[in-house]
């Protein structure tokens, strides 16, 4: 079955809007750096994982307000706010205002603002503001299906790393993935962006939510990488997000992204 893509001009507009929103979120995140901020924890009282800060919430509010103007009617699934402005719309924006919040609130500079755009469930565009990038400063990686990977609006050209004998891969708990060296960053989204840019050869993510990987999957696919998910049939090629009972917001599955040789090592 062939999958129809939206018109190229629409995809370009969507990518630019996603990149604009990611950059705005990044500016808000940078502004908040080093200032006192409210931090609370999700889950049971006393639970000490899954922190969320007032900056996470404020960034999602800002992104939703801008989308209401620039993409009215489109649906939004965000990590911090439950509102669905366009349930059953073909276009869905999956927002993680800060991915790597535990790093962010600790001051470890490894986090991202992730915007993924789905068309009929397929990630067709994405933009990730990343606190760290290949040029050692924050910036936005973005892409749309059929286009190139861009960094701050300019086509990203991968450097030649043919001399590097052991490339790096991300793994959920550290662990091994011979013949690669493994890394654990604390941000699923930044790992996806690094895979798209070739800084990591691949990554395997434990059980990400839609908003963790929608933007990153769009970047990796546009950059020519492969994406697999774990289902009842085992690891299968990923084509689209399908939530239980059709509810995209509840999609969650182990995912691996990257070069074929890295996926083989990560999924062995
Ligand atoms: C977390 C990060 C982390 C992953 C966690 C996520 P958050 O997202 O992606 O890498 O291991 O499962 O919850 O909470 O910082 O947006
Ligand atoms: Ca996240
Ligand atoms: Ca988050």
């Amino acid at each position: 079955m062939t999958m129809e893509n939206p018109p190229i001009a629409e995809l370009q507009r969507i990518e630019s809007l996603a990149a604009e929103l990611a950059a705005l979120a990044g500016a808000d995140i940078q502004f908040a750096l080093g200032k006192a901020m409210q931090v609370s924890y999700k889950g049971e009282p006393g639970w000490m994982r899954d922190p969320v800060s007032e900056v996470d919430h404020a960034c999602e509010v800002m992104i939703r307000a801008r989308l209401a103007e620039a993409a009215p009617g489109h649906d939004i699934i965000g990590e911090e706010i439950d509102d669905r402005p366009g349930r059953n719309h073909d276009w869905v924006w999956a927002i993680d205002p800060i991915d790597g919040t535990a790093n962010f609130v600790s001051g470890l500079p490894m986090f991202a603002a992730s915007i993924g755009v789905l068309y009929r469930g397929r990630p067709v565009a994405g933009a990730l503001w990343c606190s760290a990038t290949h040029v050692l400063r924050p910036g936005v990686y973005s892409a749309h299906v059929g286009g190139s990977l861009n960094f701050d609006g300019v086509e990203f050209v991968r450097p030649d790393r043919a001399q590097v004998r052991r490339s790096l891969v991300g793994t959920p708990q550290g662990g091994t993935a011979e013949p690669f060296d493994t890394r654990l960053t604390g941000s699923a989204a930044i790992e996806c962006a690094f895979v798209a840019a070739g800084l990591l050869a691949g990554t395997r993510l434990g059980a990400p939510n839609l908003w963790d990987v929608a933007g990153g999957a769009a970047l990796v696919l546009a950059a020519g990488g492969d994406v697999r998910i774990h289902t009842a049939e085992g690891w299968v090629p990923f084509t689209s997000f399908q939530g239980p009972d059709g509810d995209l917001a509840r999609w969650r599955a182990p995912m691996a992204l990257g070069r074929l040789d890295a996926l083989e090592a990560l999924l062995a």
Side-chain angles (χ1 to χ4, degrees), residues 49-60:
R49 294 179 185 213
D50 298 331
V52 57
S53 77
E54 60 185 301
V55 185
D56 297 64
H57 194 266
C59 284
E60 187 166 330

Side-chain angles (χ1 to χ4, degrees), residues 24 27 34 59 78 81 105 112 119 156 170-171 193 209 217 228 251 253 255 257:
L24 286 171
C59 284
I81 298 170
V105 298
Y119 181 74
F156 174 80
T171 54
N209 288 297
R228 309 255 172 97
W251 180 92
M255 181 177 259
L257 313 91

Side-chain angles (χ1 to χ4, degrees), residues 50 79 96 98-102 186-188 212:
D50 298 331
E79 181 174 16
D96 193 340
I98 304 181
D99 182 79
T101 298
S187 166
D212 296 314

Side-chain angles (χ1 to χ4, degrees), residues 186-202:
S187 166
I190 216 168
E191 285 181 20
C192 293
F194 286 0
V195 169
L199 316 183
L200 294 173

